[in-house]
Each structure stands twice: as C-alpha cells, then as structure tokens.
Amino acid sequence: MERQILMLLEEIKDQVNQNTKMLNILLKKSATVTEGQHNLPEGTTLPLSSEKEVDDLEILLQDSAVEKSVVSCLYTIGGSTVEETVRRLLKYIISNALALRFNWAGKGEKRAFKNLKLNSVISKCVRKNERTAGATDAEIEGIIKNFLKYAADRDGGRKRRKQANAAEEEPVV
C-alpha cells in the first residue's frame, strides 16, 4: 500500500514539473507578445479600425525593415493550426467593422485584401510559426477569404439579421 502511494506521489510530482515547464513557456510567449508591441511602427495601434489606418500602415510596410519588425511582433500570436493562426492574426490586426469593408478580390464596393502588404505579413507570420511553417499560399488565402466573407456574422451580425428577417416575415393581424 505504501509503495503504491509513493508511486502515485512520484507520478504527481512528474506531472507538476511538466505543467510548470509548460506554464513557463506560455508565460514567456505571453510576455513576448506584450514586449512585441514596441516593434509596431510609431502611431500604429491594433486592431486597425479604419481604411486610413490600413493605408498608413501599408505605406510603412513598404520599408522592408518595418515589415520585418511587424512580422517579428505579430508571429508570436501563434496558433496550433494554420486556420487558428491566420484567424488569430486577422482578429488581432483588423477590427470586425473594418473586415466588413474588404473582400479578397475587391469586388463590388469593397477593397481587395489580396493586394495589401498585410496579406504578405500574415503569410510570413504563419510560416514563421513552427507548427504552421508548411502552410501553402492557397490554404492561407482560403482562410482569409472565409474570415472576410463571414465578418458580417460576427459580433451579433447573424442574430440581428435573423431577427430582422423574422420581423419581416411576421404575419400582420
């Protein structure tokens, strides 16, 4: 009986040590993201909330040193899959209200996301992440397209649309 208790205690001790190591790694990554804020160009705050802010950042990203700095800041946001990484980056970089003004190709009244340097920054961030380094352009592009396509459904958009449709369909008595 005592031997079993000692074995269980030893297992628990090993698990606690492993959890401590993982927690320290996560805390270091978290600190890196916070410290990485200093790598953003002066005057840039994320998420971007206007097309002017996008245009201003696009001008700054023409400088390869600035682009490299932004990539090194943003890649720490990370994710365990390509989809998770791209979506986390997009949520961090652009507000949902701004995402509504973009689509991939710029059709209709919307602006094209595919032509932005931000698109390139996202791809570089995804590929800098060890877990998603093998991501293809097509895979990243598809996730960005879906993110932009379904922006109207986020932040209660789907619910508002559903309520508006229900109100229109109610029979008048």
Side-chain angles (χ1 to χ4, degrees):
M1 180 71 165
E2 286 180 29
R3 185 178 176 129
Q4 285 180 320
I5 292 173
L6 288 174
M7 287 176 58
L8 285 173
L9 283 173
E10 191 65 34
E11 285 180 37
I12 291 170
K13 182 181 171 187
D14 289 341
Q15 187 65 43
V16 167
N17 287 336
Q18 186 178 7
N19 288 347
T20 302
K21 288 178 185 175
M22 288 173 32
L23 181 60
N24 286 334
I25 290 169
L26 290 172
L27 288 172
K28 284 180 186 175
K29 279 189 177 183
S30 174
T32 304
V33 170
T34 305
E35 292 167 9
Q37 287 289 353
H38 302 294
N39 293 336
L40 291 175
E42 189 175 319
T44 302
T45 56
L46 298 177
L48 301 172
S49 57
S50 72
E51 291 183 50
K52 182 186 181 333
E53 290 177 355
V54 171
D55 294 337
D56 292 345
L57 183 57
E58 286 292 307
I59 290 168
L60 294 172
L61 289 173
Q62 298 302 317
D63 180 352
S64 61
V66 171
E67 182 184 23
K68 198 173 192 178
S69 175
V70 170
V71 168
S72 69
C73 170
L74 294 177
Y75 99 94
T76 59
I77 291 167
S80 55
T81 65
V82 176
E83 181 168 6
E84 181 185 5
T85 303
V86 172
R87 290 178 62 77
R88 285 174 55 88
L89 284 164
L90 285 165
K91 285 179 186 177
Y92 191 82
I93 294 170
I94 62 173
S95 68
N96 197 60
L98 184 59
L100 290 167
R101 297 186 212 138
F102 284 88
N103 61 34
W104 181 252
K107 293 189 177 181
E109 308 259 328
K110 297 188 177 187
R111 288 184 56 187
F113 194 86
K114 72 178 179 180
N115 300 329
L116 298 178
K117 287 290 281 178
L118 276 174
N119 181 38
S120 165
V121 165
I122 290 170
S123 293
K124 289 176 182 177
C125 289
V126 170
R127 293 199 176 97
K128 198 168 179 178
N129 180 340
E130 293 173 10
R131 294 181 178 183
T132 59
T136 64
D137 286 340
E139 192 175 8
I140 295 168
E141 177 183 317
I143 296 164
I144 293 172
K145 284 179 180 178
N146 280 336
F147 182 88
L148 297 172
K149 179 179 179 181
Y150 295 111
D153 287 348
R154 284 190 293 277
D155 296 341
R158 179 180 288 174
K159 185 177 180 181
R160 281 191 300 275
R161 198 168 53 251
K162 200 172 191 180
Q163 288 172 342
N165 287 340
E168 289 176 8
E169 294 174 4
E170 282 184 17
V172 177
V173 179

